[in-house]
Amino acid sequence: SVKEDVVFHAGTASGHRGHLRFYEDHINWNYYNGSSWILYLITTGYYRDTAQWYHLCANVDTVAGTAKLWVNGVEPTLSNNTIPSSSQDLSFADDVEHQIGERAYGTAGYFDGYIADVYFIDGSDLEYSAFAEFKNGVLIPKLYSGSFGTNGFHLEFKNTGTGTASSSTVGA
């Protein structure tokens, strides 16, 4: 069986869908348009332990036809570098289901680890340095202060209480 730990997923079971995930001991950033993979970046380095701390940042600019992936502030060597052509339509930020830490269909894909401080920025071409910085040679998170765009969001996953979802409990 293939090991798959989905960090971020957007799309449908049979149509357009994309993932940022740990897959077969690598990290990949990909998008399937219903008939082929139009975005497929996969690291050559091995990333097997999802219990370790990682800072992942993935970017796709469909206007320019570019895509990037950073792992802990570094653009890793890639074994596949398929990027979407200019103005390719992707479902990220569209009216489709988006999941953090899982994929809504199939039997694989639940993330086996902790996820914190998730940013989704719609409409801006940003690099990892918008969300993290090096201090004394160590990459640390920093608060993003720019625009989130039309459908962007920030999930902090703060545990400020217990009980049912409200503005001050775990479900906030």
Side-chain angles (χ1 to χ4, degrees), residues 47-120:
Y47 301 93
R48 296 180 175 118
D49 187 358
T50 56
Q52 294 296 316
W53 186 90
Y54 292 98
H55 181 272
L56 303 179
C57 184
N59 174 314
V60 61
D61 181 342
T62 58
V63 174
T66 61
K68 293 181 182 177
L69 174 66
W70 293 268
V71 179
N72 298 334
V74 175
E75 286 187 76
T77 303
L78 303 171
S79 65
N80 193 329
N81 194 14
T82 302
I83 57 174
S85 60
S86 181
S87 300
Q88 180 72 46
D89 184 33
L90 307 178
S91 65
F92 300 126
D94 281 354
D95 188 16
V96 296
E97 190 167 356
H98 289 60
Q99 296 94 20
I100 307 296
E102 73 167 320
R103 180 177 66 166
Y105 55 88
T107 58
Y110 290 102
F111 187 76
D112 185 18
Y114 294 102
I115 297 177
D117 230 9
V118 173
Y119 287 92
F120 182 83

Side-chain angles (χ1 to χ4, degrees), residues 8 91-96 98 100 117-124 126 131 144 146-156:
F8 174 79
S91 65
F92 300 126
D94 281 354
D95 188 16
V96 296
H98 289 60
I100 307 296
D117 230 9
V118 173
Y119 287 92
F120 182 83
I121 310 301
D122 181 16
S124 294
L126 302 174
F131 313 99
Y144 172 70
S147 170
F148 288 89
T150 303
N151 294 309
F153 56 82
H154 177 209
L155 303 174
E156 294 181 77

